[in-house]
Amino acid sequence: MRGADRPILSEVRAAERSAGDEPLRAPSGTHDILPPESAVFEGVVARFASRARLAGYGLALTPLFEELAVFSRGVGSSTDVVTKEMYDFVDKGGRHLALRPEVTASVARAYVQHRPTLPWRVWYWGPQFRYERPQAGRYRQFWQLGAEVLGTGDPDLDVEVIELAWTFCEGERIPGLSLALNSLGDGACRPAYRERLLAFLEPLAAQLCPEHQTRYRDNPLRVLDCKRPACRDATAAAPTPLEALCPSCRTHFARVQEGLASLGIPAVVTPRLVRGLDYYTRTTFEITASALSASQDAVGGGGRYDGLVAALGGPETPGIGFSLGLDRLLLARGDDAPAPEAGLEAFVVDLTGGGAALVLTSRLRRAGVAVERAFDSRSLRAQLRMADRSGAAVALIIGPAERAAGEVRLHPLRGGEESVVAIEEVEGALRALDGAGERPRRTGNEEQA
Ligand code: AMP
């Protein structure tokens, strides 16, 4: 829609009239991640970044919205993600766009557009958008961490990628992890398997769940993954993709299993594991955590997508990757207990009206010291109370006398003697305290990095 056709202005005015002073809330299915919990979130991302860097991955930041075709052609036009959950819209220039529901298709699109040297390893993190029914662990905006490698079909790479996902989750100390593994076949064996599955489902169609009664023809593999009892019962004896693998897919899958075993990674072959995105070929996997509710127990998953780049207009290029749900990782870790505020070292208490604190905090922060201060010319008592609550080890007190003498009073907040230092020696004095163990150790990100 363009210009005057757009109802946006009248909608804005109507909303203003009706809303009055109602406090506004985040949209349904979204949630704020705020301090101190966000420090845990930040720590998980930082640890993933350093693991990915060690394995040669560079960071890829792709747009939060793409041409709709990136997802309809990439993820699959009959998937739930595209048909039911996409936040798509027409922009002011008439382009049909979609908020990204996932990143793999965007990474493949970026590869087609920029053609970096292969093999190309990238990692990412960021929000995804899916119009789902919100519940614990299932949101409309959620966060993923992931990694993708384009350019080789070697099964050793499958092992390496699965190892990264698995060992990262293990390192995050998530209880009750398990790894399900499957192969979906390739362009040679998958079409024949699909026909075989369709022939199996045809006479049972009336027994499937209401949704799959009408939709099983579009995407028969998804019926295997359906959690509803009707589909479970009707397909108990269905042929699985594993039974129909061609010899080269069978060899590939065997190599992946051997490789995982040689690294001590306990993969459980799960013949009905299908996953919801159409681009997967050969290896697919999913990591679940027992701490999550059964219907949403997947912490992450991934697999090979050897046809994706070609589906987006690029040359035949194999690829494999995974994504982990950051919200679910945090839920599974049980991080209700907020991390302490990240390492505040000092708190400036200014009794001169604020100007001294302005200059001192600026100088200390530029020198790499984590420092806070009070505002609004509060009393000494009020400022010291704030200093104490801030978690800092030391209050740096400047009154008119200290300012005149070019000094600061170092007032330990967790026991110890008060001392007076020249204002230009504050950094050195704080470092000396740190050496003596009186400064709080940094927490949050660095703690487990
Ligand atoms: P997918 O991109 O569908 O393979 O999902 C990968 C991972 O992202 C899942 O295993 C979940 O951990 C997470 N995830 C997917 N959808 C949602 C959602 N709606 N809310 C929260 N996490 C999600």
Side-chain angles (χ1 to χ4, degrees):
M1 270 178 277
R2 285 166 189 278
D5 295 332
R6 284 183 300 116
I8 186 81
L9 272 182
S10 52
E11 274 179 25
V12 168
R13 288 192 186 119
E16 275 171 2
R17 276 195 303 277
S18 71
D21 292 332
E22 281 281 298
L24 294 170
R25 302 178 59 84
S28 170
T30 69
H31 57 127
D32 299 310
I33 304 169
L34 305 174
E37 287 85 357
S38 53
V40 183
F41 184 101
E42 204 185 344
V44 176
V45 176
R47 287 189 292 278
F48 189 76
S50 74
R51 290 297 303 274
R53 223 174 289 120
L54 286 178
Y57 293 80
L59 176 63
L61 297 173
T62 61
L64 294 194
F65 59 88
E66 297 266 5
E67 297 284 343
L68 178 76
V70 169
F71 306 116
S72 56
R73 280 162 61 183
V75 175
S77 53
S78 63
T79 56
D80 283 355
V81 168
V82 169
T83 56
K84 295 192 206 159
E85 298 165 5
M86 192 90 88
Y87 276 92
D88 63 315
F89 59 99
V90 176
D91 79 357
K92 293 172 187 174
R95 298 170 200 88
H96 199 163
L97 303 171
L99 297 186
R100 67 181 191 198
E102 60 112 55
V103 176
T104 308
S106 296
V107 166
R109 192 270 310 138
Y111 171 73
V112 173
Q113 186 173 339
H114 305 285
R115 297 295 176 89
T117 311
L118 295 174
W120 191 46
R121 290 172 183 261
V122 291
W123 76 277
Y124 59 80
W125 75 288
Q128 322 298 344
F129 306 88
R130 295 184 195 171
Y131 192 79
E132 302 206 66
R133 200 160 54 80
Q135 52 202 291
R138 187 169 293 282
Y139 309 107
R140 291 181 174 165
Q141 175 175 325
F142 58 98
W143 298 77
Q144 285 185 336
L145 290 163
E148 314 286 345
V149 189
L150 298 183
T152 165
D154 190 324
D156 278 3
L157 178 64
D158 305 30
V159 176
E160 217 193 78
V161 164
I162 295 172
E163 188 210 15
L164 175 62
W166 175 257
T167 54
F168 180 73
C169 290
E170 270 191 334
E172 290 298 308
R173 299 195 283 268
I174 296 171
L177 284 175
S178 40
L179 170 65
L181 181 73
N182 197 15
S183 173
L184 298 178
D186 64 4
C189 51
R190 173 101 141 257
Y193 168 69
R194 190 177 181 279
E195 290 311 310
R196 206 170 136 194
L197 182 60
L198 268 177
F200 174 88
L201 293 174
E202 206 79 52
L204 301 172
Q207 295 169 39
L208 300 176
C209 74
E211 181 189 342
H212 285 124
Q213 283 181 18
T214 51
R215 291 192 62 206
Y216 75 96
R217 275 194 202 84
D218 299 335
N219 200 341
L221 269 74
R222 288 298 288 155
V223 182
L224 292 187
D225 213 25
C226 179
K227 304 277 189 295
R228 294 182 199 104
C231 284
R232 289 259 133 198
D233 294 347
T235 62
T240 65
L242 273 188
E243 295 162 27
L245 294 185
C246 60
S248 73
C249 283
R250 218 174 300 134
T251 309
H252 185 102
F253 193 50
R255 284 282 301 273
V256 173
Q257 290 176 79
E258 276 164 32
L260 289 171
S262 73
L263 297 180
I265 297 175
V268 179
V269 174
T270 309
R272 295 174 69 105
L273 177 71
V274 170
R275 313 214 68 247
L277 315 166
D278 271 0
Y279 49 60
Y280 287 121
T281 53
R282 294 196 161 172
T283 313
T284 48
F285 65 97
E286 192 158 84
I287 297 174
T288 53
S290 59
L292 297 173
S293 78
S295 55
Q296 251 97 243
D297 61 355
V299 175
R304 218 165 235 298
Y305 42 80
D306 292 344
L308 175 60
V309 170
L312 296 178
E316 287 291 338
T317 310
I320 179 164
F322 66 84
S323 59
L324 304 174
L326 201 35
D327 313 86
R328 296 225 188 135
L329 270 170
L330 298 186
L331 271 180
R333 273 170 54 126
D335 280 317
D336 318 326
E341 290 281 2
L344 200 57
E345 294 160 52
F347 193 100
V348 178
V349 170
D350 183 348
L351 304 170
T352 72
L358 190 69
V359 174
L360 184 58
T361 51
S362 163
R363 211 187 76 208
L364 290 176
R365 285 171 186 159
R366 285 190 226 185
V369 179
V371 58
E372 249 286 35
R373 57 162 290 187
F375 290 95
D376 303 320
S377 302
R378 288 166 183 248
S379 69
L380 174 64
R381 243 182 86 180
Q383 291 194 49
L384 279 176
R385 211 178 310 123
M386 287 177 76
D388 194 41
R389 275 202 307 254
S390 75
V394 180
L396 302 173
I397 304 173
I398 311 178
E402 285 80 14
R403 185 163 66 174
E407 291 172 344
V408 174
R409 268 196 289 150
L410 247 77
H411 178 82
L413 293 160
R414 324 268 162 235
E417 292 284 298
E418 188 174 286
S419 55
V420 176
V421 296
I423 197 154
E424 57 278 4
E425 283 163 17
V426 172
E427 288 100 312
L430 287 172
R431 243 173 264 131
L433 279 181
D434 185 23
E438 286 183 31
R439 202 170 85 173
R441 293 274 136 218
R442 282 180 181 269
T443 51
N445 295 358
E446 301 94 318
E447 188 185 309
Q448 298 175 37

